[in-house]
Tab-separated table of all heavy atoms in Angstrom:
chain	number	residue	atom	x	y	z
B	30	THR	N	72.688	-8.909	-143.752
B	30	THR	CA	73.398	-9.748	-144.656
B	30	THR	C	74.031	-10.874	-143.841
B	30	THR	O	74.127	-12.033	-144.345
B	30	THR	CB	74.526	-8.920	-145.381
B	30	THR	OG1	75.113	-8.051	-144.417
B	30	THR	CG2	74.007	-8.164	-146.517
B	31	ALA	N	74.481	-10.618	-142.632
B	31	ALA	CA	75.031	-11.680	-141.823
B	31	ALA	C	74.012	-12.827	-141.716
B	31	ALA	O	74.376	-14.000	-141.846
B	31	ALA	CB	75.446	-11.180	-140.426
B	32	GLY	N	72.809	-12.433	-141.404
B	32	GLY	CA	71.716	-13.437	-141.319
B	32	GLY	C	71.585	-14.249	-142.602
B	32	GLY	O	71.564	-15.431	-142.581
B	33	LEU	N	71.550	-13.529	-143.648
B	33	LEU	CA	71.389	-14.187	-145.017
B	33	LEU	C	72.565	-15.053	-145.303
B	33	LEU	O	72.388	-16.198	-145.771
B	33	LEU	CB	71.217	-13.094	-146.123
B	33	LEU	CG	69.876	-12.509	-146.194
B	33	LEU	CD1	69.845	-11.476	-147.365
B	33	LEU	CD2	68.844	-13.529	-146.512
B	34	VAL	N	73.816	-14.580	-145.042
B	34	VAL	CA	75.004	-15.300	-145.419
B	34	VAL	C	74.995	-16.608	-144.629
B	34	VAL	O	75.150	-17.697	-145.149
B	34	VAL	CB	76.298	-14.447	-145.174
B	34	VAL	CG1	77.497	-15.346	-145.162
B	34	VAL	CG2	76.352	-13.380	-146.184
B	35	ILE	N	74.838	-16.455	-143.344
B	35	ILE	CA	74.874	-17.635	-142.470
B	35	ILE	C	73.861	-18.617	-142.982
B	35	ILE	O	74.130	-19.857	-143.153
B	35	ILE	CB	74.558	-17.319	-140.976
B	35	ILE	CG1	75.698	-16.361	-140.401
B	35	ILE	CG2	74.363	-18.512	-140.082
B	35	ILE	CD1	75.272	-15.804	-139.075
B	36	ALA	N	72.690	-18.093	-143.269
B	36	ALA	CA	71.589	-18.940	-143.647
B	36	ALA	C	71.967	-19.731	-144.936
B	36	ALA	O	71.746	-20.924	-144.920
B	36	ALA	CB	70.309	-18.132	-143.809
B	37	SER	N	72.401	-19.006	-145.940
B	37	SER	CA	72.655	-19.663	-147.259
B	37	SER	C	73.815	-20.637	-147.131
B	37	SER	O	73.774	-21.658	-147.769
B	37	SER	CB	72.751	-18.704	-148.317
B	37	SER	OG	73.543	-17.599	-147.928
B	38	PHE	N	74.861	-20.208	-146.444
B	38	PHE	CA	76.020	-21.092	-146.270
B	38	PHE	C	75.654	-22.430	-145.716
B	38	PHE	O	76.049	-23.480	-146.184
B	38	PHE	CB	77.029	-20.411	-145.376
B	38	PHE	CG	78.140	-19.753	-146.080
B	38	PHE	CD1	78.344	-18.390	-146.076
B	38	PHE	CD2	79.016	-20.535	-146.926
B	38	PHE	CE1	79.389	-17.842	-146.777
B	38	PHE	CE2	79.956	-19.939	-147.628
B	38	PHE	CZ	80.198	-18.646	-147.608
B	39	ALA	N	74.883	-22.406	-144.602
B	39	ALA	CA	74.570	-23.629	-143.951
B	39	ALA	C	73.456	-24.415	-144.553
B	39	ALA	O	72.935	-25.405	-144.009
B	39	ALA	CB	74.238	-23.272	-142.454
B	40	GLY	N	73.112	-24.040	-145.749
B	40	GLY	CA	72.099	-24.712	-146.472
B	40	GLY	C	70.792	-24.667	-145.720
B	40	GLY	O	70.061	-25.686	-145.593
B	41	PHE	N	70.443	-23.449	-145.302
B	41	PHE	CA	69.245	-23.215	-144.578
B	41	PHE	C	67.974	-23.087	-145.507
B	41	PHE	O	67.019	-22.443	-145.059
B	41	PHE	CB	69.344	-21.982	-143.605
B	41	PHE	CG	70.404	-22.161	-142.600
B	41	PHE	CD1	70.735	-21.123	-141.790
B	41	PHE	CD2	70.917	-23.454	-142.256
B	41	PHE	CE1	71.697	-21.251	-140.779
B	41	PHE	CE2	71.854	-23.528	-141.333
B	41	PHE	CZ	72.255	-22.510	-140.553
B	42	ARG	N	68.077	-23.496	-146.679
B	42	ARG	CA	67.022	-23.202	-147.592
B	42	ARG	C	65.715	-23.724	-147.226
B	42	ARG	O	64.685	-23.187	-147.546
B	42	ARG	CB	67.429	-23.753	-148.963
B	42	ARG	CG	68.414	-22.827	-149.684
B	42	ARG	CD	68.674	-23.158	-151.169
B	42	ARG	NE	69.955	-22.558	-151.473
B	42	ARG	CZ	71.108	-23.224	-151.365
B	42	ARG	NH1	71.160	-24.414	-150.905
B	42	ARG	NH2	72.238	-22.588	-151.757
B	43	GLU	N	65.697	-24.706	-146.349
B	43	GLU	CA	64.428	-25.310	-145.992
B	43	GLU	C	63.582	-24.380	-145.178
B	43	GLU	O	62.376	-24.431	-145.167
B	43	GLU	CB	64.652	-26.640	-145.283
B	43	GLU	CG	66.108	-26.935	-144.872
B	43	GLU	CD	66.208	-28.113	-143.984
B	43	GLU	OE1	65.218	-28.742	-143.564
B	43	GLU	OE2	67.374	-28.407	-143.667
B	44	PHE	N	64.263	-23.556	-144.359
B	44	PHE	CA	63.460	-22.678	-143.435
B	44	PHE	C	63.544	-21.214	-143.744
B	44	PHE	O	62.735	-20.417	-143.357
B	44	PHE	CB	63.726	-22.962	-142.009
B	44	PHE	CG	65.124	-22.762	-141.562
B	44	PHE	CD1	65.663	-21.525	-141.440
B	44	PHE	CD2	65.914	-23.945	-141.421
B	44	PHE	CE1	66.964	-21.380	-140.978
B	44	PHE	CE2	67.271	-23.687	-140.983
B	44	PHE	CZ	67.777	-22.529	-140.831
B	45	LEU	N	64.582	-20.813	-144.531
B	45	LEU	CA	64.815	-19.331	-144.690
B	45	LEU	C	63.670	-18.587	-145.442
B	45	LEU	O	63.163	-17.622	-144.994
B	45	LEU	CB	66.152	-19.074	-145.464
B	45	LEU	CG	66.572	-17.564	-145.272
B	45	LEU	CD1	66.911	-17.281	-143.859
B	45	LEU	CD2	67.684	-17.322	-146.172
B	46	PRO	N	63.165	-19.269	-146.521
B	46	PRO	CA	62.030	-18.548	-147.218
B	46	PRO	C	60.777	-18.391	-146.243
B	46	PRO	O	60.216	-17.349	-146.226
B	46	PRO	CB	61.614	-19.552	-148.361
B	46	PRO	CG	62.887	-20.340	-148.558
B	46	PRO	CD	63.562	-20.426	-147.248
B	47	GLY	N	60.553	-19.385	-145.417
B	47	GLY	CA	59.466	-19.245	-144.472
B	47	GLY	C	59.679	-18.106	-143.520
B	47	GLY	O	58.836	-17.328	-143.255
B	48	LEU	N	60.926	-17.987	-143.069
B	48	LEU	CA	61.197	-16.858	-142.070
B	48	LEU	C	61.114	-15.507	-142.776
B	48	LEU	O	60.582	-14.555	-142.182
B	48	LEU	CB	62.660	-17.030	-141.537
B	48	LEU	CG	62.858	-18.242	-140.562
B	48	LEU	CD1	64.257	-18.078	-139.960
B	48	LEU	CD2	61.829	-18.158	-139.427
B	49	LEU	N	61.532	-15.434	-143.982
B	49	LEU	CA	61.403	-14.170	-144.707
B	49	LEU	C	59.926	-13.781	-144.887
B	49	LEU	O	59.558	-12.619	-144.787
B	49	LEU	CB	62.139	-14.220	-146.045
B	49	LEU	CG	63.636	-14.055	-145.947
B	49	LEU	CD1	64.296	-14.339	-147.291
B	49	LEU	CD2	64.038	-12.706	-145.430
B	50	GLU	N	59.163	-14.812	-145.270
B	50	GLU	CA	57.720	-14.589	-145.395
B	50	GLU	C	57.196	-13.976	-144.058
B	50	GLU	O	56.407	-13.010	-144.042
B	50	GLU	CB	57.038	-15.903	-145.600
B	50	GLU	CG	56.330	-16.031	-146.913
B	50	GLU	CD	55.835	-17.438	-147.142
B	50	GLU	OE1	55.013	-17.969	-146.391
B	50	GLU	OE2	56.429	-18.123	-148.038
B	51	GLY	N	57.545	-14.617	-142.951
B	51	GLY	CA	57.050	-14.162	-141.651
B	51	GLY	C	57.566	-12.734	-141.350
B	51	GLY	O	56.771	-11.935	-140.895
B	52	ALA	N	58.842	-12.487	-141.755
B	52	ALA	CA	59.306	-11.126	-141.466
B	52	ALA	C	58.508	-10.117	-142.191
B	52	ALA	O	58.254	-9.015	-141.700
B	52	ALA	CB	60.794	-11.083	-141.905
B	53	LEU	N	58.123	-10.496	-143.459
B	53	LEU	CA	57.275	-9.513	-144.227
B	53	LEU	C	56.026	-9.185	-143.484
B	53	LEU	O	55.581	-8.058	-143.450
B	53	LEU	CB	57.021	-10.130	-145.597
B	53	LEU	CG	57.172	-9.166	-146.723
B	53	LEU	CD1	58.564	-8.617	-146.836
B	53	LEU	CD2	56.809	-9.829	-148.074
B	54	VAL	N	55.352	-10.230	-142.979
B	54	VAL	CA	54.154	-10.028	-142.298
B	54	VAL	C	54.372	-9.143	-141.024
B	54	VAL	O	53.668	-8.207	-140.756
B	54	VAL	CB	53.494	-11.413	-141.822
B	54	VAL	CG1	52.310	-11.172	-140.948
B	54	VAL	CG2	53.123	-12.208	-143.077
Side-chain angles (χ1 to χ4, degrees):
Chain B
T30 41
L33 281 179
V34 166
I35 295 170
S37 40
F38 259 117
F41 294 170
R42 283 191 199 87
E43 9 172 356
F44 57 78
L45 196 67
L48 289 186
L49 281 174
E50 242 170 66
L53 222 59
V54 174

